[in-house]
């Protein structure tokens, strides 16, 4: 989709925002400068620029400039393993979570259903900035600045463009290239399907481990990855209900320093049923079964703080620190936040959340 040319009029739109309102071009009629930033929750580059976009809003809102975020992505065209640097995906509900977490007071619009606005404006990556003057003519299109790491940025392209338009002056640099995640156009849905089909072909196994083996798994003493340990049983309704989310979490973060180990608490007579369930769930992570029929031994081996209710989940850093614990069904959002909190979001973070 061609990017809108300098001097072109801003195409109209009608989109929902995270605040429950619908917005059109007329919603911003009084703004002397209107800035659209096409961005995405999942995109590491877009996340790297969130603070700088917030700073633009803080610096220019008092001068009448309106900054509007737009998510162009079709959520059904986003693969799970593209979400590895984020705690949320690109749905409208996910956008509400991100906006609340960041404390955004500016509009954040969802164009993922029809992508009509995005096709008219033509963003090529996230983030991609479009600056319009009072007559709603495009005066700048391009990047926020020239480096994802703010400490290394040498230009202030978007800021300079806004200042020039406010002053009634020509924009010195009207267009730049952009760097970031590609827009997830709806025609990428088959690619998502291919990924799901590939994961479905991965082998699923259930190995038996003794008490010492379970303790070693839960301790993560010699491990180099953040380890999610989930204890479940075939007779446990909440265990089976949350299991698809467990598989999704595995697929989302498996490309990073992260792994999932499930521990089956069934007795030996139900071992085949447990394996059958795992295969139905396409659970290609490491799966083990406790070789004893003693649930109290299992409790002590996994987590002395566990009172015994199933399912039970712990997120264990290398060396044994438990950074998240859930007795009973886990909250997927809280779990993902804990995972990303330890793994880090991008260039500015290291494992351990430091």
């Amino acid at each position: 989709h061609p990017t809108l040319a300098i001097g072109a009029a801003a195409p109209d739109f009608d989109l929902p925002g995270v605040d429950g309102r619908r917005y059109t071009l007329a919603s911003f009629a009084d703004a002397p400068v209107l800035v659209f930033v096409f961005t995405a929750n999942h995109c590491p580059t877009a996340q790297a620029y969130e603070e700088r976009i917030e700073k633009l809003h803080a610096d220019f809102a008092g001068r009448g400039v309106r900054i509007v975020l737009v998510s162009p992505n079709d959520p059904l065209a986003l693969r799970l393993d593209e979400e590895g640097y984020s705690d949320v995906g690109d749905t409208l509900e996910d956008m509400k979570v991100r906006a609340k977490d960041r404390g955004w007071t500016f509009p954040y619009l969802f164009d993922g259903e029809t992508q009509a606005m995005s096709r008219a404006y033509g963003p090529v990556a996230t983030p991609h900035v479009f600056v319009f003057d009072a007559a709603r003519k495009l005066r700048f299109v391009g990047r926020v600045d020239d480096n994802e790491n703010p400490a290394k940025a040498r230009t202030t392209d978007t800021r300079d463009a806004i200042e020039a338009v406010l002053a009634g002056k020509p924009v010195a640099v009207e267009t730049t290239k952009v760097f970031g995640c590609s827009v997830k156009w709806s025609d990428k849905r088959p690619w998502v399907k291919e990924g799901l089909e590939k994961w479905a072909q991965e082998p699923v196994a259930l190995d038996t481990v003794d008490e010492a083996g379970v303790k070693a798994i839960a301790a993560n003493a010699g491990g180099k990855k953040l380890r999610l340990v989930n204890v479940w049983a075939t007779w446990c309704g909440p265990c089976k209900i949350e299991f698809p989310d467990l598989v999704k979490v595995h697929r989302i973060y498996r490309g990073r320093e992260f792994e999932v180990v499930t521990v089956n608490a069934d007795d030996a007579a139900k071992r085949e049923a447990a394996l059958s369930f795992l295969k139905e769930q396409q659970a290609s992570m490491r799966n083990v079964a406790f070789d004893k029929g003693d649930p109290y031994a299992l409790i002590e081996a996994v987590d002395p703080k566990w009172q015994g209710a199933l399912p039970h989940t712990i997120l264990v850093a290398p060396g044994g620190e438990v950074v998240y614990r859930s007795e009973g069904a886990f909250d997927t959002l809280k779990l993902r936040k804990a995972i990303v909190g330890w793994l880090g979001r991008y260039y500015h973070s290291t494992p351990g959340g430091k």
Side-chain angles (χ1 to χ4, degrees):
H1 305 283
T3 302
L4 204 64
I6 294 296
D12 202 359
F13 55 87
D14 182 0
L15 294 177
V18 297
D19 57 359
R21 295 175 53 192
R22 294 197 73 86
Y23 290 84
T24 67
L25 195 61
S27 302
F28 312 103
D30 294 337
V33 180
L34 179 57
V35 182
F36 292 115
V37 183
F38 289 86
T39 188
N41 282 351
H42 86 277
C43 176
T45 304
Q47 291 180 65
Y49 277 99
E50 288 176 345
E51 288 185 8
R52 276 166 279 184
I53 292 168
E54 293 163 4
K55 187 68 165 58
L56 288 171
H57 169 70
D59 291 347
F60 288 109
R63 298 165 68 182
V65 176
R66 296 298 303 273
I67 292 179
V68 180
L69 304 189
V70 182
S71 177
N73 289 346
D74 175 3
L76 298 179
L78 179 68
R79 285 173 54 118
L80 288 173
D81 50 1
E82 292 183 280
E83 299 181 30
Y85 285 88
S86 179
D87 49 0
V88 290
D90 285 352
T91 68
L92 178 56
E93 292 305 311
D94 290 329
M95 291 165 56
K96 293 176 181 178
V97 172
R98 177 60 54 78
K100 181 179 179 180
D101 287 348
R102 300 294 309 184
W104 289 341
T105 57
F106 41 77
Y108 189 14
L109 313 183
F110 176 63
D111 190 33
E113 185 173 356
T114 68
Q115 300 185 302
M117 179 183 181
S118 301
R119 294 176 193 276
Y121 284 69
V124 299
T126 51
H128 200 161
V129 181
F130 293 69
V131 177
F132 294 88
D133 60 20
R136 296 301 176 256
K137 301 298 183 182
L138 184 63
R139 299 288 301 279
F140 169 80
V141 58
R143 64 196 181 189
V144 176
D145 58 37
D146 66 341
N147 202 294
E148 297 160 303
N149 186 337
K152 297 181 179 180
R154 298 165 297 177
T155 70
T156 52
D157 304 274
T158 292
R159 181 176 292 273
D160 294 345
I162 296 172
E163 288 283 14
V165 176
L166 281 172
K169 297 178 179 180
V171 176
V173 179
E174 295 179 321
T175 65
T176 74
K177 293 182 178 180
V178 293
F179 181 80
C181 305
S182 61
V183 174
K184 302 302 176 275
W185 301 109
S186 58
D187 58 9
K188 292 185 178 180
R189 289 185 182 186
W191 189 48
V192 174
K193 182 180 178 182
E194 289 174 8
L196 294 172
E197 291 173 348
K198 182 178 179 180
W199 286 324
Q201 299 304 312
E202 293 179 343
V204 177
L206 179 62
D207 301 316
T208 301
V209 295
D210 58 16
E211 191 170 345
V214 172
K215 286 183 178 180
I217 289 170
N220 198 15
K224 296 182 179 180
K225 297 182 177 182
L226 181 66
R227 180 177 294 168
L228 191 159
V229 181
N230 177 267
V231 187
W232 68 285
T234 57
W235 47 263
C236 167
C239 299
K240 299 173 79 170
I241 291 171
E242 76 174 7
F243 215 94
D245 287 331
L246 190 68
V247 173
K248 286 181 181 179
V249 166
H250 167 63
R251 291 173 175 176
I252 289 170
Y253 300 108
R254 60 189 284 182
R256 303 190 66 190
E257 296 299 309
F258 175 79
E259 61 188 4
V260 175
V261 181
T262 76
V263 180
N264 179 247
D266 286 310
D267 58 40
K270 295 183 179 179
R271 200 65 43 79
E272 287 301 318
L275 178 58
S276 178
F277 174 78
L278 290 170
K279 289 181 177 179
E280 290 173 2
Q281 298 297 313
Q282 301 172 9
S284 59
M285 67 280 281
R286 184 186 178 192
N287 304 294
V288 301
F290 187 47
D291 68 349
K292 289 185 178 180
D294 182 356
Y296 297 100
L298 177 61
I299 291 170
E300 295 304 319
V302 172
D303 180 10
K305 293 186 178 181
W306 175 23
Q307 296 301 305
L310 287 179
H312 187 71
T313 303
I314 52 174
L315 194 59
V316 190
E321 179 188 3
V322 176
V323 297
Y324 173 87
R325 176 184 282 107
S326 176
E327 186 162 355
F330 56 75
D331 181 304
T332 303
L333 179 59
K334 290 181 180 179
L335 175 59
R336 290 188 61 176
K337 285 183 179 297
I339 293 169
V340 174
W342 192 90
L343 293 176
R345 288 190 181 268
Y346 196 31
Y347 70 88
H348 57 291
S349 299
T350 57
K354 300 177 181 178

